[in-house]
Amino acid sequence: MFFYLSKIFWFFANPGNVLLIVLCLGAALVFRRRDKLGRRLLAIAAVLSLIVAVVPIGVNLIIVLENRFPVVHQLPEKVDGIIVLGGVVDEVVTKSRGQISIGGAVERLTEFASLSKKYPNAKLVFTSGSGKLLTQDIKEGDAVGPLLEGLGVDINRVQIENQSRNTYENAVMSKQLVNPDPAETWILITSAFHMPRTVGIFRQVGWKALPYPVDFQFTNEFLFTLTFNLIGGYGLLSQAIHEWLGLIFYRLTDKTDSLFPGPDS
């Protein structure tokens, strides 16, 4: 139920969808000669769009997330397992075209491949089913194999969890799959902006792992330069708000151990 409610809620919370709804409502009111309210709504949409296009709000919100966990420069000598979250392969396009389609965040898998060679005896786990509401029958875990092999990963070493639909299920189902011992050392790989929520969830389900953030999008310094990019501004703002709302609602539903998880002292 949580999965479906989160998808429905995000449809109405997505800044791009909010803009479209306000524009349509404003235009409809003007058309029905309720000009005063209609013009106000159109003016609000215009002002908000100008702010989003000019001020790097989304960028700085993402930088806060990316700065939460630093790049790992020193790794332990012995690692028992490495787990990587999906979100790299577009499984629907891959199945349709018959060729691997990479949607983004490929650094998750390139670093996974690199670490798998550094630790040849470590267990390897890839976790991702489908986060798409209408295509639950096509799983990323079923499509990722050729890409992993192309990166030099011994696919026979990889345990693939292909039923999870969100980050919480990534943690729960992967833990059920490998049953990690509390004394084991595991490396957890995902995008830097997504790492706070991921770490909080893994801790909440009783799986402490070494955070290994990748896929950094920006430098570690906040951006104060004004721009003029409406589409890019809304895209980054949507990405940022999606992750911040995820942190809030996962905490409210007791799926993460704190509101803004950070490095374990």
Side-chain angles (χ1 to χ4, degrees):
M1 180 62 72
F2 180 86
F3 170 73
Y4 295 104
L5 289 176
S6 66
K7 293 296 181 182
I8 295 171
F9 175 81
W10 176 241
F11 177 83
F12 292 103
N14 188 318
N17 291 348
V18 172
L19 172 65
L20 181 60
I21 291 170
V22 173
L23 285 172
C24 290
L25 183 58
L29 289 171
V30 170
F31 182 76
R32 289 179 172 273
R33 300 191 181 281
R34 296 182 180 178
D35 294 358
K36 188 174 182 180
L37 180 56
R39 286 197 299 269
R40 285 181 177 176
L41 288 176
L42 293 175
I44 289 172
V47 171
L48 290 177
S49 295
L50 181 62
I51 293 173
V52 171
V54 173
V55 182
I57 302 171
V59 172
N60 289 317
L61 287 174
I62 292 173
I63 289 174
V64 174
L65 295 167
E66 291 191 337
N67 286 349
R68 192 62 168 166
F69 287 88
V71 174
V72 178
H73 294 293
Q74 186 174 356
L75 289 165
E77 291 186 8
K78 180 180 181 296
V79 167
D80 298 289
I82 306 165
I83 181 168
V84 61
L85 273 62
V88 179
V89 175
D90 189 319
E91 64 273 15
V92 177
V93 176
T94 295
K95 181 177 180 180
S96 174
R97 297 291 184 177
Q99 184 182 80
I100 290 287
S101 173
I102 300 174
V106 71
E107 294 92 338
R108 298 186 187 188
L109 296 190
T110 56
E111 288 299 308
F112 181 65
S114 176
L115 291 173
S116 74
K117 297 166 189 173
K118 181 177 178 64
Y119 299 104
N121 297 318
K123 304 171 189 175
L124 303 178
V125 178
F126 174 90
T127 172
S128 180
S130 173
K132 299 180 175 66
L133 191 61
L134 301 178
T135 53
Q136 280 295 305
D137 57 320
I138 306 175
K139 311 293 187 181
E140 184 182 7
D142 298 333
V144 76
L147 179 55
L148 289 174
E149 289 183 309
L151 292 171
V153 179
D154 181 358
I155 198 66
N156 294 317
R157 290 177 58 196
V158 184
Q159 297 184 71
I160 294 179
E161 183 286 301
N162 68 351
Q163 296 301 311
S164 56
R165 300 170 297 177
N166 54 38
T167 311
Y168 181 74
E169 293 183 358
N170 287 151
V172 171
M173 294 183 178
S174 295
K175 187 180 181 185
Q176 292 172 349
L177 178 67
V178 299
N179 190 27
D181 189 285
E184 291 181 338
T185 299
W186 280 78
I187 293 177
L188 172 62
I189 303 173
T190 190
S191 297
F193 79 92
H194 186 49
M195 187 60 80
R197 180 156 56 109
T198 303
V199 168
I201 293 168
F202 271 70
R203 288 174 180 168
Q204 188 72 345
V205 303
W207 190 352
K208 295 188 71 174
L210 172 65
Y212 192 93
V214 298
D215 184 34
F216 287 87
Q217 301 175 58
F218 304 103
T219 67
N220 59 3
E221 297 179 354
F222 292 105
L223 181 65
F224 299 103
T225 305
L226 300 183
T227 60
F228 197 82
N229 185 347
L230 179 62
I231 295 176
Y234 266 109
L236 291 170
L237 183 62
S238 295
Q239 179 186 349
I241 289 179
H242 183 273
E243 195 59 31
W244 282 103
L245 286 177
L247 283 165
I248 294 170
F249 284 102
Y250 270 61
R251 182 55 185 157
L252 290 175
T253 54
D254 202 32
K255 289 179 171 61
T256 182
D257 72 333
S258 63
L259 182 59
F260 191 33
D264 191 343
S265 60

